[in-house]
Amino acid sequence: MKRFHVHIGVEKLEEAICFYCALFGGDPVKTKPDYAKWMLNDPRVNFAISTRTKKKGVDHLGIQVEEEGELHELRSRLVRADMNVLEEGTTTCCYARSDKSWVQDLAGIPWEAYRTMEDAQFFQIAWIAPRVPVVLRTLRCS
């Protein structure tokens, strides 16, 4: 089953955690000194905030899958649409070890398609937004 992902850069983590706890009606499932994450079920959203982003506000969006087959299907759709895909593969980021692919939408927002395998002890920024390839071709919407 898929889950929508949103990562937002914040300046004051504790204040942001208080705001989102009130908004979502619950505590984050993961909290670190520079990061917090909620796994919401209604709607199904992986919502993360951190102080490690280069800018404040929406840093990137994504689709998180649970099974390897779902990730393969999602990656295939990106390729069939003739998108410029950056295959990052297995990486450690956001306190998790994941398998990731990246694209950039026409508004310049990075999107990740990924599957998380396990938690990690370190944030270790493995992605940098400027590395995401810019969509240069006309996308096929079929």
Side-chain angles (χ1 to χ4, degrees):
M1 184 172 289
K2 295 174 183 70
R3 186 180 296 267
F4 189 70
H5 171 59
V6 178
H7 188 119
I8 294 182
V10 299
E11 197 168 315
K12 298 177 181 176
L13 189 69
E14 289 301 318
E15 289 178 21
I17 289 173
C18 289
F19 173 83
Y20 291 113
C21 282
L23 181 67
F24 300 143
D27 293 332
V29 297
K30 185 183 289 189
T31 307
K32 301 290 184 178
D34 56 356
Y35 179 85
K37 176 174 76 173
W38 289 259
M39 294 294 279
L40 307 173
N41 288 319
D42 187 17
R44 285 185 54 81
V45 177
N46 170 338
F47 187 89
I49 59 175
S50 76
T51 57
R52 290 189 168 242
T53 60
K54 290 186 176 185
K55 63 180 182 173
K56 305 308 172 222
V58 174
D59 183 68
H60 67 275
L61 302 172
I63 298 174
Q64 180 182 20
V65 301
E66 294 178 4
E67 303 294 329
E68 190 172 331
E70 291 175 305
L71 185 58
H72 176 73
E73 186 262 328
L74 184 52
R75 284 175 166 156
S76 295
R77 283 201 319 251
L78 300 176
V79 170
R80 280 193 312 271
D82 205 24
M83 292 185 187
N84 222 355
V85 180
L86 171 67
E87 296 293 349
E88 188 170 17
T90 302
T91 187
T92 300
C93 179
C94 301
Y95 298 100
R97 193 171 72 80
S98 302
D99 185 4
K100 298 184 178 197
S101 297
W102 290 89
V103 295
Q104 189 170 32
D105 71 17
L106 298 174
I109 298 171
W111 282 77
E112 63 180 325
Y114 70 104
R115 181 176 71 91
T116 298
M117 284 83 80
E118 63 187 358
D119 282 342
Q121 295 298 313
F122 303 100
F123 187 92
Q124 188 177 354
I125 296 178
W127 50 266
I128 299 173
R131 282 184 32 206
V132 177
V134 176
V135 177
L136 297 174
R137 294 172 275 202
T138 303
L139 304 180
R140 292 190 304 254
C141 298
S142 55

